[in-house]
Amino acid sequence: MELDDVKGIDAIYEQVKIYSIISEQLADNLQDFKKQVQKQRDEGDYDELLNLLSDAESLIYNASFKLSEIEAKKEQ
């Protein structure tokens, strides 16, 4: 759906749902990526990178949660 096509409350809620799913999938992918990086710890010091990835993952999960709250308001 093009953003120009998002007209009306139902379309807005549908777009929010899509963004919620995308953000949750992205956070899940970051979690998997962190595991891959952790496997390579013997090749270098990746602590700072892992901390930044953890921060990003947390923020994205938080965004997904907030988007889910918008979805929940629709149900009320």
Side-chain angles (χ1 to χ4, degrees):
M1 177 184 298
E2 294 289 327
L3 291 181
D4 289 340
D5 297 334
V6 179
K7 294 184 170 107
I9 194 69
D10 289 336
I12 291 169
Y13 281 122
E14 183 60 31
Q15 197 65 35
V16 166
K17 181 178 180 180
I18 290 168
Y19 288 144
S20 176
I21 292 167
I22 289 170
S23 59
E24 187 171 350
Q25 289 174 341
L26 177 58
D28 289 346
N29 288 347
L30 276 175
Q31 188 175 46
D32 293 341
F33 180 59
K34 280 184 1 189
K35 290 176 185 174
Q36 288 295 92
V37 171
Q38 287 172 335
K39 290 179 184 176
Q40 299 177 39
R41 279 190 137 163
D42 58 335
E43 297 176 21
D45 182 14
Y46 296 118
D47 289 341
E48 183 178 356
L49 174 65
L50 288 168
N51 286 337
L52 290 170
L53 288 171
S54 290
D55 290 348
E57 177 189 358
S58 177
L59 289 169
I60 295 168
Y61 272 127
N62 190 41
S64 178
F65 177 75
K66 292 295 184 183
L67 291 165
S68 294
E69 286 182 326
I70 294 170
E71 283 184 81
K73 286 186 181 285
K74 178 186 176 190
E75 302 300 320
Q76 292 177 351

